[in-house]
Amino acid sequence: MKLERSFYTRSNVVTVARELLGKVLSTKINGLTTSGMIVETEAYSEKEKGCHAYKGMTRRNAVMYDDGGVAYVYLCYGIHQMVNVVTNAKGIADAVLIRALEPLTGIDVMMERMRVKHDKRITSGPGKLTRALGIDKSFNGKSLAGKELWIEDCGMEISASQIIKSTRIGIDYAGDDALLPWRFTIKGNEWISKL
DNA sequence: TACGTGATCACG
DNA sequence: GTGATCACGTAA
């Protein structure tokens, strides 16, 4: 069942980031379906320095200000596309970065997109999972309940004891806010980034 | 540990 | 216009 808009529009982005663990992200592109269970997320709030919207709206981050339930996709380091889940009400720029998936559907398609002959760690990182699922900037601003891109609840329950909190990756520029425990991973999962 | 890679942003 | 920067991945 696709997640409803009300899942995303809640005001606490950290809660949404935690609850996205265990949900399934899918794409269907040119008839090819690929999907994976979300095993690693990070929350970003416009009130802290790690967030792209900390200093206000720019051309890049504009969709973060949309109503929750759409994708924010941007290019990083000139190579990697990153996909975020926009949360909170319209006008508030909060989002959850999807950092890793456990592959479920279309593993052969994903291996081809990654140009590898094995299925090891093909979705273990924010830049890799977008490539494996075929997500690029053309998905920026698109609904997460669409026909080409969606997130659903497949009944996987992740209990509180299975969730590990840690600091977010790659945001040293954020000063004190880099210390916020806003990264969530599923304990013991083989597919999280950074081992 | 080093660096590719190119859009974006803050200047002015 | 121009230059610095970057929510990474890979090779070494």
Side-chain angles (χ1 to χ4, degrees):
Chain A
M1 216 175 62
K2 289 178 188 175
L3 296 181
E4 294 177 22
R5 186 176 156 281
S6 58
F7 178 90
Y8 304 106
T9 54
R10 288 176 289 169
S11 60
N12 189 332
V13 65
V14 175
T15 299
V16 177
R18 195 169 53 229
E19 293 186 10
L20 277 169
L21 293 177
K23 303 297 190 290
V24 175
L25 174 66
S26 306
T27 59
K28 183 172 182 180
I29 298 167
N30 297 329
L32 300 173
T33 301
T34 51
S35 76
M37 182 177 74
I38 297 168
V39 300
E40 176 175 347
T41 61
E42 285 178 359
Y44 288 88
S45 156
E46 62 177 17
K47 295 183 203 51
E48 48 85 16
K49 295 191 281 295
C51 185
H52 285 170
Y54 179 65
K55 294 184 213 163
M57 190 185 293
T58 65
R59 202 160 70 222
R60 177 176 71 163
N61 68 26
V63 307
M64 292 183 75
Y65 290 82
D66 280 357
D67 225 5
V70 299
Y72 166 45
V73 185
Y74 72 96
L75 184 69
C76 189
Y77 295 106
I79 305 173
H80 309 290
Q81 315 276 341
M82 308 281 201
V83 62
N84 293 250
V85 171
V86 173
T87 72
N88 215 322
K90 192 168 184 63
I92 302 176
D94 292 353
V96 177
L97 173 66
I98 307 298
R99 285 193 56 89
L101 304 175
E102 177 175 323
L104 292 176
T105 311
I107 294 176
D108 50 341
V109 175
M110 293 195 270
M111 288 191 300
E112 195 168 330
R113 288 180 182 145
M114 299 305 283
R115 298 167 192 244
V116 294
K117 292 190 163 49
H118 55 79
D119 62 357
K120 292 182 187 299
R121 307 196 65 73
I122 49 177
T123 52
S124 298
K128 292 160 81 176
L129 72 92
T130 52
R131 181 172 169 189
L133 268 63
I135 297 170
D136 61 26
K137 285 197 303 176
S138 69
F139 287 86
N140 193 35
K142 294 278 179 63
S143 168
L144 290 165
K147 290 206 157 51
E148 288 198 298
L149 176 69
W150 68 94
I151 297 178
E152 57 192 314
D153 186 343
C154 294
M156 186 69 180
E157 288 296 326
I158 308 295
S159 66
S161 63
Q162 289 177 272
I163 297 176
I164 295 185
K165 272 192 299 196
S166 58
T167 55
R168 296 170 294 174
I169 306 292
I171 54 160
D172 294 343
Y173 59 85
D176 294 345
D177 290 331
L179 302 174
L180 292 168
W182 283 8
R183 174 178 180 234
F184 299 96
T185 56
I186 296 180
K187 188 177 187 175
N189 190 279
E190 305 283 326
W191 293 91
I192 63 178
S193 67
K194 307 274 172 185
L195 306 190

